[in-house]
Every structure is written in C-alpha cells, then in structure tokens.
Amino acid sequence: MSLNEWLAIGMIGAFFIMLLIGIPVAISIATTAFVFGFIGFGPMLFNLLPSRIYGVVTNYTFMAIPLFVFMGVMLEKSKLAAELIDVVGHLFGNVSGGMGVAIIFVGVLLGAATGIVGATIVTLGLLTLPTLLRRGYPKALASGMICASGTLGQIIPPSLVLILLAEILGESVGTMFAAAMMPGLTLAAVYIIAILALAAWKPHLMPPIPAEERAQMGKAQLLRKVILVVGPPVGLVVAVLGSIIGGIAAPTEAAAMGALGALVFVASSGRLTINLLTEVAKATLIISSMVFFILISAQVFGLAFRGLGGEHLVGRMFEWVPGGEIGALLFMLLLMFVLGFFLEWIEISYIALPLFLPFFIQMGVDMVWLGILVGLVLQTSFLTPPFGWSLFFLKGVAPEGVTTLDIYLGVLPFIALQFLAIAMVILFPGIATWLPAAIGW
C-alpha cells in the first residue's frame, strides 16, 4: 500500500480514538480530515472545500430538515403522545397483548408524525412502562416493546435518515419515502405478529386491560376521541407524504406545509403559547445546527479520504469478500451494524456509506433498494447494547426496579425481528421497490 493509503487508514483510526476520549463527533471528523489530508497533500487538497460547503448550506432539499424537525418537535411538545396512547390503548385493550400492539401502533403514528426517537421513547416510557409493569408484563418485555416502537420513526417517512440517504445515493426524497413505506410497515407488522403470537402462547405474560377500566370510556366517547385525537396527526402525515409521493409538492414545500399544519393543529387544540413556541424554536435550532455541523464536517472527511486514495483501498477490500454482490452487501451491512454500537446514524451515513458506494454503483446495484437496507440497519443502531440511544433514553425515565440488564435483554428479541425484516427485503426487493415503480418514480 502507498503512504497515502496508510494515512487514510490512520485517519479512520484517529477518528475513532477521538470519539472514545469524548471529543464531539463533528469536531473529530473535521480535525482528523484536516490533519491527515494536510500531511498527505498539503493545503492544495482543500481548495474544493468552500464550494463543497456552499453546496451543503444552499441545498434546497436540505431545507426540509429544519421544517420536518419543527413539525415533529411541535407535535411532541404539545403532549400529543399522551392522548394517543390513551385512545389507542383502549382500542386494543380487550385483546391479550393489546397494550403491546397499541404501543407499536402509537410508535408508527408518532414516527410518521414526529420522527424523534428520543421523545417517543421518553413519552412511552413515562406513560406506559409503569402501567405495563402493574398489569404483569415482564420488565424486559415491556422495555423491549417501548424501545422497538420508538425507533420506528427512523425508517417510517418522513424521516431525516431518508432525506440524507436520498442525497448521498443521488435519489429523490420522494422515491426514498415511497420505498421506505412498505418496509417500515412490514417491520411494524412483524413486531405486532410476534407480540400476538407470544400472547397466544403465554397469555399470562400480557393480560388485557381489565373490563372495569375499559368501561370508564364508553364506545361513543372512544369514537369521538379517535376522530379528534388520532385523526389530525394521521391526516397531517397523509397530506405531507401524499403530496411528496404523489408529485404534487417537493419535499421542502411539503415540509413547510407540515410545519404550518402542526402549528395550526396545536393552536386549534388550545395548547399554543409563547413559551411552547419558544421551546419548539430553540429545540429546532439545536437539532438542525447539529445535523448541518456534521454534514459540513463530513465534506472535509470525504474530500480527504478520497484524496488519500481511500476509495481504491475500499474497492480492494471488497475483492477479498466472497459471495460477489450479495457477499459484499452483507459485509457492508454487518459492518454498519457493528459501527452502530458506537456511532450515531448520521456519522455512519456520511462517513461509512460514501466509502462503499462506488463499489456498488460499479456493480449496478439498485440504489433505492440499497438505501432502504442501509436505513433498516441504521435503525438497529438505536437498539444495540451497550451504546444504543434508545436504551439510554428509556433507562433515564424507567421506574425503580427496571435495571439496565432488563432493558438490554428486552431489546434482543426485537433486534432479531429487525434482522428478519432485513432478510425479507434482501430476499424480496419488491418490498422496497414496488411502490416507487407503481407510482412512476
């Protein structure tokens, strides 16, 4: 190997070392890239950097990021989740395992409406975990259901993961949203089927809501709450996604309408205050700034890695992997899964995926199919012990008596179910590619 290729390997190693000693991700990415790129080529390597950064901050599609974040934070801070859980819980309350099904169903709704994993898990943990434990659900099972449900927002559109993957893969955001719809719902269905199967096998583990408690909310009142509580967020999501997938609006335009719709929805419910609006604006600014800081730092890293010959190094590495295209695909997905133990999805998306992408483009792999597989694997990074963010979020709000080990054991079956969903998309690519093809994307 050449000296520059050794520098490319050293750059990746230094990046991980800086992360392990606690230096923020964006600073670690940019620092290692500047240092090793400068050693290899001097300042000439970074002549293209201003135009690359300009391309990020002026990217029209990326304008959708703060707008979708605003929509999600507004719905989350308006306490929408609390009412959703109450209504959906009563809908499925007479079924053994019904509360588990309700949690997954609410995860789908909140994932589509907000896409904020931490907020969903914290809300579900605070509102449902004590209730599930009181009704006799095992601590590990209850914890696993909540963590798995909260991560559905990473693959169910509109999702920041899909927006960034669309940019990396050179596909439209609408195509990625359409492609992710069926795999996301398939994963939720796999969760629900597994919960109902376990409930049928061992009903004492997941008893239904007592009839006396269900009787407190009559059928007419329940129907009214379904219309008033479940209807608006579902309508908002359908309008946003439908306008994108149907080609009526660009993602940024639909995101703007989603942000406005969330604002109108919260205002019509009487919950909009100056304090709430200030909190939402502040949270949107912080989250969006973090995303863009990492995106800009990733441009430095990508420029240095390619300049040092890292792409050729990765290409030769794939030549050692047996099994051809499928073998290389499984190797990349496994590597991303392992990286998910230590890194967040945005670093994996913008650091790891671009390293492997030229090889798969050369092999003629369908980029939409590849992107959905990557998205499903990135979702597991929120669940994998010991550093999965979902586990930390739940542990922070779990009642006394629920240990970290309970949470770790609880997510393991759901990680296995995610692998089952990934295998289904690998074996049946039409799950991801059918809807985009059907609507002509």
Side-chain angles (χ1 to χ4, degrees):
M1 290 195 303
S2 67
L3 174 61
N4 281 349
E5 288 176 334
W6 280 112
L7 286 173
I9 295 174
M11 184 171 73
I12 295 175
F15 167 61
F16 279 105
I17 291 171
M18 292 182 72
L19 283 181
L20 291 175
I21 63 178
I23 296 175
V25 173
I27 296 175
S28 301
I29 293 172
T31 301
T32 53
F34 274 126
V35 170
F36 283 87
F38 189 84
I39 293 173
F41 282 95
M44 290 181 58
L45 179 63
F46 301 105
N47 286 344
L48 292 175
L49 189 57
S51 62
R52 296 280 288 270
I53 294 175
Y54 183 78
V56 171
V57 298
T58 58
N59 189 310
Y60 183 66
T61 301
F62 283 165
M63 287 175 62
I65 292 175
L67 293 168
F68 275 131
V69 170
F70 180 91
M71 182 181 86
V73 175
M74 177 61 74
L75 292 176
E76 179 260 321
K77 290 189 177 295
S78 65
K79 310 299 181 187
L80 165 73
E83 287 191 284
L84 270 177
I85 292 167
D86 182 50
V87 173
V88 177
H90 278 79
L91 278 176
F92 295 98
N94 62 341
V95 180
S96 182
M99 277 300 294
V101 174
I103 287 172
I104 302 300
F105 189 76
V106 169
V108 172
L109 287 179
L110 291 179
T114 69
I116 304 174
V117 170
T120 302
I121 290 175
V122 167
T123 304
L124 289 172
L126 286 171
L127 296 176
T128 65
L129 187 52
T131 304
L132 291 175
L133 298 179
R134 189 176 68 249
R135 288 178 178 148
Y137 279 61
K139 291 183 285 189
L141 178 60
S143 300
M145 289 190 299
I146 292 171
C147 287
S149 174
T151 61
L152 287 171
Q154 289 298 294
I155 191 64
I156 292 177
S159 161
L160 297 187
V161 176
L162 298 174
I163 294 174
L164 296 187
L165 284 177
E167 178 67 21
I168 295 168
L169 297 171
E171 298 289 340
S172 73
V173 174
T175 301
M176 293 303 297
F177 280 4
M181 191 73 71
M182 291 304 296
L185 295 178
T186 298
L187 178 59
V190 168
Y191 287 163
I192 290 173
I193 291 169
I195 290 171
L196 292 177
L198 179 61
W201 180 36
K202 295 185 176 181
H204 64 280
L205 293 179
M206 291 183 279
I209 297 176
E212 300 81 19
E213 187 176 340
R214 297 199 307 272
Q216 294 177 3
M217 186 183 297
K219 290 185 178 180
Q221 185 182 1
L222 180 59
L223 178 61
R224 179 176 175 273
K225 285 203 168 188
V226 168
I227 295 172
L228 294 179
V229 176
V230 180
V234 170
L236 182 62
V237 170
V238 169
V240 171
L241 294 183
S243 63
I244 296 173
I245 294 173
I248 299 172
T252 304
E253 296 162 351
M257 293 306 299
L260 178 62
L263 194 63
V264 171
F265 170 55
V266 174
S268 63
S269 67
R271 300 174 186 173
L272 186 62
T273 64
I274 293 297
N275 288 337
L276 174 64
L277 195 58
T278 302
E279 286 181 25
V280 172
K282 183 178 179 181
T284 301
L285 177 63
I286 292 172
I287 294 171
S288 302
S289 299
M290 179 269 294
V291 171
F292 276 95
F293 191 12
I294 294 177
L295 289 178
I296 291 171
S297 299
Q299 300 303 312
V300 187
F301 193 95
L303 196 62
F305 189 81
R306 287 184 175 86
L308 293 172
E311 280 188 5
H312 303 295
L313 191 63
V314 172
R316 291 206 301 273
M317 180 180 67
F318 273 118
E319 291 176 2
W320 304 334
V321 178
E325 178 185 314
I326 292 297
L329 176 66
L330 294 177
F331 172 74
M332 183 193 72
L333 296 179
L334 179 62
L335 183 59
M336 287 188 166
F337 173 71
V338 173
L339 288 175
F341 283 62
F342 312 102
L343 299 178
E344 288 193 72
W345 63 269
I346 190 169
E347 294 94 68
I348 299 174
S349 299
Y350 256 86
I351 299 301
L353 181 57
L355 305 184
F356 308 132
L357 203 54
F359 174 82
F360 290 104
I361 293 175
Q362 184 180 359
M363 294 284 289
V365 174
D366 187 329
M367 290 293 106
V368 174
W369 176 60
L370 179 69
I372 297 305
L373 288 173
V374 169
L376 286 168
V377 171
L378 290 178
Q379 187 186 356
T380 65
S381 68
F382 279 83
L383 290 178
T384 47
F387 301 120
W389 285 105
S390 298
L391 317 180
F392 294 148
F393 290 138
L394 183 60
K395 179 56 182 171
V397 298
E400 190 175 349
V402 177
T403 66
T404 301
L405 182 60
D406 291 326
I407 298 174
Y408 283 3
L409 293 176
V411 298
L412 293 179
F414 290 93
I415 294 173
L417 292 173
Q418 280 195 297
F419 280 126
L420 174 61
I422 293 169
M424 290 170 65
V425 177
I426 291 175
L427 295 173
F428 306 102
I431 296 176
T433 59
W434 169 79
L435 186 55
I439 60 180
W441 282 94

